[in-house]
Every structure is written in structure tokens, then in C-alpha cells.
Amino acid sequence: MEEEVADFFWQVTDYRVEGRCLHELSDIIWLVLCGLLADCEDFEQIYDYACDKQAVLAQFLSLPAGIPSPYTLQRVFSRLNPVELEASLTHWGQDIMRVLAGQQLAIDGKQVRGTCLPGQRQASVQLVSVWATEQRLCLAQTQVASKANELVAIPQVLDLVEVAGSVVSIDAIGCQRAIATTLVERRADYVLALKQNQRTLFEQVQAHLAPLLRQEPAFVSREKDHGRGEERRVWVSRNLNLVEEAAEWAGLAAVVCVQTRRWQQGREQHSTRYYLSSLAQASAGELAGYVRGHWGIENDLHWHLDVTFAEDACRVRQGHAPRNLSTLRKLALTLLRREPTKMSLPRKRKKAARDDDYLRQLLRQLAPQPPDAN
């Protein structure tokens, strides 16, 4: 297996002084990844796991000085270049997807709340990610200084991915003219949530769609499962002459209203949301799919980082360590999800901790993909 995956982290530069290190950098990164796959949550747990499994790990890692201490793991991860580590995730993800044309890419930010210092409300580490909704994998991430800086980070994270031909969905903070222009220039379509941070445009779209909402919706979907139900009603307008600010938005071809009714245990909730889209030919059902697909980054990525991997409970705060750990958590999440065994992700992590062959099976997914026959 070592020949198949040895070069996966080749882009990560070893900052340490050559000849003065007891442990190989690649061993340290692989140990942390194996620990995260095997139900560990921090460096101490990873160290304990690696000590128990040293004989197995030594079959595909060098380990010239045994297992690095928790302090060594933390010190190295706090100083590793996070951009280089993230590049490994990005290149692997894009290699899996091959072509992004027609794919939905959701962009959203998340705080790593375990880095929130006493007396502060905002976490010191906040990350913006690009999520491929259909493949359910993270393609890229970048760090922002605060929630307010998320707007600055969105163009930065877009630069890390080839978005041509894809449909990019962003929540209201990314509903900006400059971002719409960037996406159009890069030959991508967009679905942007519109809220009152764009007050004038929001009021114009709301007034424009008001008469349409008195008519039958263009698309309706209903779901009921486990005592919960949801109904979504969608209206679309492509006649934007009465929306004065529409001309200022590059590529804008449609405005969308989605009314949602949810009920659970006798309680009912209603919401009305508006969206801007450059998709000129998409049906109301397709637009509804993109709107709903955007929530995949919350449900399939952020939720699992917090619940399955306990990211918010991790108290690692030094240097780049929180960001680098988050990168490997996302990689581990994808490896677990792409493994076809029918069991929950927490069960898969526990199985990886017990079953050495299963751990190897997960890691083999990182082997270089053969070129397409065509």
C-alpha cells in the first residue's frame, strides 16, 4: 500500500531542519489521518491509538524513532503550511470529479468553535469551504479572520477550483455584484440567496414577485418521513424589466421565490426566501434542486464535522493546527463516506479502529486514479 499512497502529501513542505528530526513528516501526517479515521479526536488520542497499532502502522510507515509524542504531533501541525496541505485535498477531489461541468458547488463558512478563547464570541479559526453537493466532498477551503471577512474569502477560495461549467450556490453574504461578475467571467452559473443586506434589490424583487405569488406555483414538492413533513412551492420570473437593479448584476437571468412549510410533532413553520440566478434555461424544479442542494454543505459537511468528528469540542488552538486538523477531518470524512459498506459514519470510524484491513481499505482510496479510457 505504501507505494500506492506514499506521494499523496508530496506538496507539503517540511519546514524542519534537515538531519535534526527523529520523525519523518509524511509519517506524522499519515498517523494523524489514520487516527482521525479510527475514531480519535485530538493528538493525545491519536498517540494512544498509534502506540496500540504500532506494529500494523509500521507495515506502511517508516517510524524510524517509533511513534511521535502528542507534543510532537501538535508542534508539527501548528507549523505546517495549511495552504499546501489543503492543496492535497483539492487536487485529489478534482481528480475524482475530473470535470466540474454541470456540478453544483456550494460555498459556505464555518467557525471552529473549539478555538474560541474565553470571553470571546467569535472563534479564532473560521473556514470557508467549497462543497461538491453531488459527490459530497470538500474541494477546497481557506481561512478568514472573522465572519465579516467571509466576503473577502469567497473569491479566494473560488480561485482554488476550476468552476467553469458548474453552478455555484452561496448564501446571502455572497450575494454581491462583484462575486456574480467573477462567476460569469469564469464561465460559471450562480444561485445566490437574496436577503436584506441588498436592501434595495431585495425590496424590488419582493415587490416584483408579489403578484406572481397569488398564482399557482411553477413547482411543488412534498416529503414526509419519520413524523416530519415539508412542502416547497417555487415561483420563477425571468421578466426582470421591473427590477431596476437587475441590470447591474452580471448574467442575472431569473429571480426565484421558495416558500417552505414544515411540520413536526404538531408544530408548523413557514418561510419565504428569494434567490438570484444566472440560469436562463433551468426549470423551476431544477432551480429548487439547487436551492435545496446548497444545504448539503451544512447537513453533509458541517454537521458531521461537529457531530461525527467532534470538531467544535476539540481544544487544539496553537498556530495552524486547528486549520490543518480540519483539512484532514474533511479528507477522512470523504474516505469514510465513499467506502460502500452500509453502516453509519460513527460505526465506520470504530470499525477502522478495530479492523486493520478496513483501515487499509479506506486509505487505498488515496491511490492515484487511473486515467479515463476515453
Side-chain angles (χ1 to χ4, degrees):
M1 186 182 73
E2 55 268 34
E3 291 81 5
E4 296 174 344
V5 300
D7 292 335
F8 186 82
F9 297 110
W10 65 269
Q11 298 174 89
V12 183
T13 302
D14 193 344
Y15 69 90
R16 302 171 301 170
V17 178
E18 186 175 356
R20 297 180 59 184
C21 305
L22 296 176
H23 306 284
E24 295 188 7
L25 179 63
S26 60
D27 283 355
I28 291 174
I29 299 175
W30 281 109
L31 281 176
V32 173
L33 177 60
C34 290
L36 292 173
L37 287 169
D39 207 29
C40 301
E41 297 174 0
D42 56 32
F43 293 122
E44 287 78 12
Q45 293 180 18
I46 292 169
Y47 170 77
D48 293 340
Y49 163 80
C51 288
D52 292 341
K53 294 289 187 177
Q54 182 171 352
V56 175
L57 296 170
Q59 295 174 13
F60 60 92
L61 299 178
S62 300
L63 303 178
I67 302 299
S69 69
Y71 171 76
T72 298
L73 296 176
Q74 179 167 287
R75 176 173 51 82
V76 171
F77 260 68
S78 69
R79 296 186 63 184
L80 277 185
N81 186 325
V83 175
E84 294 177 350
L85 189 62
E86 290 160 358
S88 302
L89 176 69
T90 297
H91 291 167
W92 178 68
Q94 293 195 155
D95 187 51
I96 290 175
M97 296 188 66
R98 303 290 181 176
V99 179
L100 294 178
Q103 299 280 347
Q104 180 179 2
L105 304 180
I107 298 178
D108 195 19
K110 177 186 181 298
Q111 296 188 45
V112 182
R113 295 193 178 276
T115 65
C116 187
L117 299 175
Q120 294 185 355
R121 298 182 59 185
Q122 297 292 322
S124 59
V125 175
Q126 303 184 54
L127 302 170
V128 173
S129 302
V130 179
W131 176 254
T133 61
E134 294 178 26
Q135 294 284 346
R136 295 201 297 178
L137 69 93
C138 181
L139 289 176
Q141 72 175 27
T142 191
Q143 186 170 339
V144 298
S146 67
K147 184 68 175 177
N149 295 106
E150 191 172 319
L151 179 59
V152 178
I154 291 174
Q156 295 173 356
V157 78
L158 282 172
D159 287 340
L160 302 175
V161 181
E162 178 51 63
V163 298
S166 63
V167 179
V168 177
S169 59
I170 314 176
D171 61 13
I173 197 169
C175 187
Q176 305 288 335
R177 296 182 185 88
I179 291 177
T181 300
T182 297
L183 291 171
V184 170
E185 289 175 347
R186 297 186 59 184
R187 295 179 290 113
D189 283 299
Y190 59 78
V191 176
L192 306 178
L194 175 64
K195 293 184 179 179
Q196 295 193 36
N197 60 326
Q198 295 288 340
R199 180 175 296 276
T200 302
L201 179 62
F202 179 85
E203 292 173 351
Q204 290 178 0
V205 168
Q206 194 175 42
H208 173 67
L209 288 173
L212 194 63
L213 301 186
R214 293 192 286 268
Q215 304 175 19
E216 288 297 313
F219 175 79
V220 178
S221 67
R222 298 181 179 90
E223 294 181 4
K224 188 175 181 179
D225 189 24
H226 300 294
R228 296 177 296 180
E230 182 171 297
E231 179 187 72
R232 289 176 293 275
R233 296 154 55 89
V234 183
W235 292 265
V236 180
S237 175
R238 304 186 191 278
N239 180 14
L240 306 181
N241 294 330
L242 298 179
V243 183
E244 296 178 6
E245 288 201 358
E248 301 178 18
W249 289 76
L252 181 59
V255 292
V256 183
C257 177
V258 179
Q259 288 188 347
T260 303
R261 181 166 68 99
R262 298 185 181 91
W263 58 94
Q264 182 178 10
Q265 298 178 345
R267 297 181 180 181
E268 191 168 305
Q269 294 180 322
H270 297 260
S271 66
T272 300
R273 303 186 303 276
Y274 298 91
Y275 298 86
L276 309 179
S277 179
S278 64
L279 291 161
Q281 304 299 325
S283 67
E286 290 171 329
L287 288 166
Y290 290 123
V291 168
R292 189 178 185 198
H294 180 78
W295 290 100
I297 193 171
E298 291 286 352
N299 299 330
D300 295 331
L301 177 62
H302 296 166
W303 188 88
H304 279 295
L305 290 174
D306 289 341
V307 176
T308 303
F309 287 87
E311 181 171 85
D312 280 356
C314 182
R315 292 297 181 262
V316 174
R317 296 169 178 167
Q318 291 80 7
H320 299 305
R323 178 175 175 180
N324 286 328
L325 274 179
S326 184
T327 299
L328 289 193
R329 287 190 193 102
K330 290 169 182 174
L331 178 58
L333 174 61
T334 302
L335 293 175
L336 292 164
R337 178 173 277 131
R338 291 178 62 83
E339 196 282 315
T341 303
K342 297 297 183 183
M343 63 175 67
S344 68
L345 294 179
R347 286 182 63 198
K348 286 185 176 183
R349 294 186 77 200
K350 295 184 185 301
K351 182 176 177 61
R354 299 187 308 266
D355 188 337
D356 303 328
D357 290 335
Y358 184 69
L359 177 68
R360 286 173 173 271
Q361 181 180 341
L362 293 171
L363 294 176
R364 285 194 183 99
Q365 297 179 73
L366 299 178
Q369 300 295 311
D372 293 337
N374 297 328

